[in-house]
Amino acid sequence: MDELLNLNETTTLDESPESFFETPVEQPTGYAAGLPTNCAEGKAPLLFLYDTSTSTALNGADEEEQQSLQAIESSLRSNPLAAGKLDIEVLTFGNGVQILQNWTEGSRFQAPQLPEADGDTPLYEALDLTINQLNERRQMYNQLGTSSYVGTIILVTDGAASDPEKKDVVLARLHEMMRRNKVCIIPIGVGRKADTDELKEIADGGTVLKAADANNFSEAIRFLTDSMSDLVCQTNPGDAGSMLTQMLQAPAPMPDPAPAPDNSDDNCLDMF
């Protein structure tokens, strides 16, 4: 499979999207006036949500997820200007839901150690917490008079949710924010048992990525982080449009897949 990741489709969040930058509430004063210049120009909240359930260890996804965190750190170090504009938070869900690494400016990001794979897949509880974290961060930006980009959630999971009873309420909340252009989400299914249909529903018509056996997954995370870094340097306050839409218009520089014993496509990262 020559094309490992075809990202020529775009995610439509709204027919008439708001500016990707929000208008600052007021000019920074006091503490806000002492923020770095790149913060005053706008901050981009980026949340990584990792599945650390028992099944991730069984299919080798846990090791690949850890490598992807190292790829994020490497990407941010390679673009210090963009790293200063990105705010990163890492959350996990498996044996409970937790904030593994609280908000950290990209320039200070160090890859945390994921917890040992354990437990079920409380996906919707995790999404609910992620939305709360994003909203709190955006409120802080507003209080400081700092413009902010649309929040981006990168969701990584290898199975179906174990808390479907929370699905309707959480997705209604998420999709309303997406329609208002307040958040965009990129779900990535890792492993053959990843429920692509469920991820499509979460994405609400947006792009879903799937790595059949977790190979090349960390490269996909690196590509997404690189793309975010490039875009925050290229986008100015007042520019219209969605960063996610721009990101998914660019092809991913993915490496050749390792040979699979029975199916040459098994190692590919596919788009749905």
Side-chain angles (χ1 to χ4, degrees), residues 12-18 179:
T12 302
L13 300 182
D14 191 87
E15 292 183 357
S16 301
E18 300 170 18
R179 283 188 286 272

Side-chain angles (χ1 to χ4, degrees), residues 12-124:
T12 302
L13 300 182
D14 191 87
E15 292 183 357
S16 301
E18 300 170 18
S19 168
F20 200 79
F21 261 94
E22 294 191 341
T23 303
V25 176
E26 59 185 7
Q27 291 299 317
T29 58
Y31 168 74
L35 291 174
T37 302
N38 52 16
C39 179
E41 292 173 353
K43 298 291 282 187
L46 175 59
L47 303 96
F48 292 92
L49 182 55
Y50 281 95
D51 181 350
T52 56
S53 58
T54 300
S55 58
T56 59
L58 299 179
N59 63 24
D62 58 338
E63 295 181 1
E64 192 71 15
E65 286 180 344
Q66 187 62 52
Q67 291 178 19
S68 74
L69 285 168
Q70 299 291 341
I72 295 168
E73 180 179 342
S74 175
S75 172
L76 293 170
R77 287 185 176 181
S78 68
N79 193 337
L81 176 60
K85 299 181 72 172
L86 287 167
D87 278 346
I88 313 292
E89 183 164 272
V90 181
L91 303 92
T92 64
F93 58 102
N95 187 11
V97 178
Q98 66 171 311
I99 300 171
L100 182 63
Q101 180 161 329
N102 212 329
W103 290 108
T104 305
E105 187 177 275
S107 59
R108 300 185 179 95
F109 180 83
Q110 294 183 332
Q113 180 65 43
L114 289 172
E116 184 176 352
D118 189 26
D120 294 325
T121 312
L123 171 57
Y124 294 107

Side-chain angles (χ1 to χ4, degrees), residues 187-210:
I188 305 177
V190 181
R192 293 178 179 84
K193 294 183 179 180
D195 190 335
T196 304
D197 289 337
E198 185 166 32
L199 295 181
K200 286 180 180 179
E201 191 170 358
I202 291 172
D204 197 27
T207 300
V208 172
L209 307 179
K210 183 175 180 180

